[in-house]
Amino acid sequence: MRYNNPIIPGFYPDPSICKAEGKYYMVCSSFQYFPGVPLFESRDLVNWSQIGHVLTRESQLPLEGAGSDGGIYAPTIRFHEGRFYMVTTNTSSMGNFYVWTDDIYGEWSEPVKVQQGGIDPSLYFEDGRAYFMSNGDDDQGISGVTQCEIDIETGEKKSPSRCVWQGTGGRYLESPHLYRINGQYYLMAAEGGTEYGHMVIYAKGPSVNGPFTAYPGNPVLTNRNLGGYEIQGCGHGDLVEDDQGNFWMVHLAFRQIHQWMPFHITGREVCLVPVAFQENGWFTAGVGGITPTEVETDRIPHNIKQSLKQRDTFSDTRVGVDWVFLRRPHEEDFSLSKTAYRLYPTNLTLGEKQGSPAFVAIRQRQMRGQIRCNIQVPEGEAGISLYMDHQHHYDLAVARMAAAGGAGDVYRIMTRSVVGSVGHVVEETVVRADTEITLRIGLDPMEYSFSAVFSQQGQETSCPLGRLQTRYLSTEVAGGFTGVMIALYAQEESLTGRGAEPAVFTEFEAVYEK
């Protein structure tokens, strides 16, 4: 069969995978968004459904002050003796910790902290022992892949932290995972930074402690030399064995907005490539060591067809699964159902780096398509934001205000661009406050187009409200580690609490083209 990469499009970085009871499970990073660590399930490796999040309670996920470069980094999921473990780092508080569950569809435990530094932690189990590893400095101050044995019940260290491998010399050694395959121990990691030089490397050794010898053909997977190729930044991989004994690698990558324009807006996404072991014990990955957009394989039955979701609405998405919040939300600010999302305006705006505005968002999954939503705004401002972070977002906003001369309220409908310290209104129009309004955003790899449709007394009018280049919402411009989110928001800077009347969003639809 033939499948396309990415297998999970949109901002789902740092994938980790395990197999349990005939199914595959995957987790990804979530940074400043709540709930945290999206959790996916699959039976065939190419079709994935999100079944929830791992971190769903404030006690598991404190995010105060977390931005697009903070919060939850690089989780690892493992299944051992009937129990699932997820280990990760909260860089804004708590450090390295893990949680566990005996029911993958249920709640996870309270965090168990591990007193070893670094990020990108991973777990390895063998002969009744649990090993914890991360990238960082060991107890002697040596930098590299650091490992210790822990008590899996308490998280306490049972051995000193020791550097077991220092990689191949590339910058930003990260994402260590340890495996035992055919009697050999394989230590896989990433180097080059989670950018255009990203790559997967590995080494093998005779024991869990090494010594580890680097694969002579490193990097085993990278697209770093493919100028003008859509998929870039391949790295941060994890291995899994299927039921037929074949090995696969899931890894992150991103898609450029254009062949010759090195910008990406949908974040780091999940890709899948086959892995092949050689007689000498080394393995190769991908197609000639790269990740293509299309992979032809006989490892997956031909009757399996890859199906990527191309439409999101309120009725076929779930709050707390597809829709997430900025840091820890205030429940009283929201009333969300399958037919309408009601957001009560507060004085927390989209420009906040702390706190949680009245904001609920879903990932932009593809670069082509259209967003539409009906909106009513009794007070303050509300709208749709294409949100990268607090300093990089485009807003299609409706603000209710008093008309000049006491002639009643009007709606000011505007497109606003915020790029770094520069914010300005691109285009705007004013209509009567009893007007029915539908907001529309056209998605294109190179630019977003904004418009509104007004309906008064049975007459419909479409008003274009400008175009903005996508590149200024890219990770290359904004920094951080996230992707563009489609956010519904409500705000009123003059409020000291929350508004009495909510903004009402109905008939939301995001339709994508591949």
Side-chain angles (χ1 to χ4, degrees):
M1 66 93 67
R2 177 179 296 176
Y3 68 87
N4 291 315
N5 279 313
I7 56 169
I8 303 180
F11 154 54
Y12 293 105
D14 307 320
S16 175
I17 192 171
C18 73
K19 185 176 69 174
E21 300 169 345
K23 296 181 182 178
Y24 304 94
Y25 297 93
M26 189 187 304
V27 292
C28 300
S29 298
S30 51
F31 296 91
Q32 77 269 44
Y33 291 101
F34 188 97
V37 186
L39 173 63
F40 294 87
E41 179 183 74
S42 175
R43 290 185 178 274
D44 56 26
L45 288 170
V46 294
N47 293 295
W48 293 85
S49 60
Q50 190 174 349
I51 59 175
H53 285 83
V54 174
L55 306 177
T56 58
R57 306 187 297 276
E58 188 171 11
S59 59
Q60 299 170 316
L61 187 56
L63 288 174
E64 184 62 31
S68 61
D69 57 354
I72 294 295
Y73 279 27
T76 297
I77 188 169
R78 292 293 181 258
F79 182 70
H80 176 66
E81 294 184 349
R83 177 167 287 180
F84 291 91
Y85 296 87
M86 189 284 300
V87 58
T88 188
T89 312
N90 186 332
T91 63
S92 300
S93 64
M94 199 180 298
N96 288 322
F97 69 95
Y98 59 91
V99 292
W100 56 267
T101 186
D102 296 326
D103 177 8
I104 194 68
Y105 305 106
E107 290 290 308
W108 293 65
S109 73
E110 287 298 296
V112 181
K113 297 182 182 179
V114 179
Q115 297 304 316
Q116 178 170 296
I119 59 171
D120 296 5
S122 187
L123 291 172
Y124 175 73
F125 296 92
E126 182 176 274
D127 297 334
R129 295 182 173 182
Y131 297 89
F132 177 91
M133 65 182 61
S134 59
N135 73 320
D137 295 339
D138 69 7
D139 290 349
Q140 305 301 315
I142 300 173
S143 180
V145 175
T146 301
Q147 178 181 280
C148 67
E149 185 183 350
I150 63 170
D151 184 331
I152 197 60
E153 297 298 323
T154 66
E156 294 180 358
K157 289 172 61 173
K158 298 177 69 174
S159 71
S161 296
R162 171 177 166 267
C163 179
V164 294
W165 193 43
Q166 291 186 295
T168 67
R171 66 175 183 163
Y172 303 138
L173 176 64
E174 58 190 357
S175 176
H177 294 303
L178 184 65
Y179 317 89
R180 186 181 183 188
I181 304 170
N182 299 328
Q184 291 283 319
Y185 293 83
Y186 293 84
L187 180 53
M188 194 166 74
E191 288 179 339
T194 186
E195 302 145 8
Y196 290 84
H198 214 21
M199 53 187 169
V200 179
I201 59 171
Y202 77 95
K204 69 174 181 175
S207 79
V208 68
N209 299 309
F212 291 99
T213 301
Y215 169 52
N218 275 323
V220 67
L221 183 80
T222 186
N223 283 21
R224 64 182 180 178
N225 297 320
L226 298 181
Y229 194 69
E230 180 184 28
I231 293 181
Q232 297 287 341
C234 300
H236 202 110
D238 198 6
L239 298 180
V240 69
E241 184 180 8
D242 67 21
D243 291 333
Q244 288 71 47
N246 300 308
F247 280 86
W248 299 83
M249 182 191 296
V250 294
H251 67 86
L252 68 79
F254 53 81
R255 290 173 291 166
Q256 293 187 166
I257 63 173
H258 183 272
Q259 181 180 11
W260 304 118
M261 296 190 68
F263 301 95
H264 70 284
I265 58 174
T266 52
R268 296 170 298 161
E269 307 172 308
V270 182
C271 290
L272 175 75
V273 292
V275 169
F277 278 83
Q278 314 300 313
E279 290 184 2
N280 58 12
W282 298 113
F283 66 80
T284 59
V287 178
I290 69 169
T291 297
T293 55
E294 290 187 350
V295 178
E296 188 81 36
T297 180
D298 59 3
R299 296 182 176 189
I300 299 173
H302 285 281
N303 63 336
I304 292 176
K305 305 298 181 184
Q306 185 183 28
S307 177
L308 295 176
K309 191 177 183 185
Q310 299 298 313
R311 183 174 179 265
D312 290 325
T313 66
F314 287 155
S315 62
D316 65 4
T317 54
R318 292 166 290 170
V319 177
V321 179
D322 307 278
W323 292 88
V324 294
F325 304 92
L326 194 55
R327 295 176 284 275
R328 184 66 174 94
H330 307 285
E331 292 183 8
E332 64 272 18
D333 295 340
F334 304 89
S335 175
L336 310 176
S337 72
K338 289 291 186 181
T339 57
Y341 281 17
R342 291 173 168 84
L343 279 63
Y344 290 85
T346 74
N347 63 352
L348 293 176
T349 71
L350 296 177
E352 302 289 337
K353 192 172 181 179
Q354 299 191 21
S356 185
F359 169 112
V360 60
I362 195 167
R363 288 157 172 84
Q364 181 182 337
R365 303 181 193 273
Q366 303 288 358
M367 288 182 276
R368 296 184 187 276
Q370 185 177 92
I371 304 161
R372 63 179 297 275
C373 190
N374 297 344
I375 187 171
Q376 301 172 32
V377 186
E379 59 180 303
E381 176 187 310
I384 305 174
S385 180
L386 299 173
Y387 183 92
M388 175 62 84
D389 64 24
H390 69 291
Q391 288 188 314
H392 300 84
H393 51 93
Y394 295 157
D395 313 324
L396 183 53
V398 178
R400 190 173 186 122
M401 54 195 297
D409 287 355
V410 295
Y411 282 145
R412 180 189 180 206
I413 308 171
M414 58 191 152
T415 297
R416 180 171 49 224
S417 166
V418 177
V419 179
S421 59
V422 179
H424 75 285
V425 172
V426 180
E427 290 191 34
E428 63 180 303
T429 189
V430 175
V431 298
R432 284 169 29 192
D434 61 353
T435 305
E436 296 179 11
I437 300 173
T438 300
L439 301 179
R440 296 180 182 271
I441 301 175
L443 307 178
D444 181 82
M446 301 289 287
E447 65 179 12
Y448 296 111
S449 58
F450 303 85
S451 63
V453 177
F454 318 132
S455 182
Q456 282 184 328
Q457 298 177 348
Q459 289 229 305
E460 202 168 81
T461 304
S462 180
C463 177
L465 290 166
R467 297 173 178 268
L468 290 167
Q469 295 181 38
T470 60
R471 71 168 80 179
Y472 297 111
L473 296 189
S474 68
T475 303
E476 287 78 9
V477 172
F481 301 110
T482 59
V484 170
M485 306 288 279
I486 303 166
L488 310 180
Y489 75 95
Q491 63 189 35
E492 172 57 88
E493 295 185 30
S494 64
L495 291 175
T496 57
R498 63 194 288 269
E501 296 292 331
V504 182
F505 299 84
T506 56
E507 298 187 29
F508 173 87
E509 182 181 57
V511 180
Y512 297 110
E513 305 169 20
K514 181 65 176 90

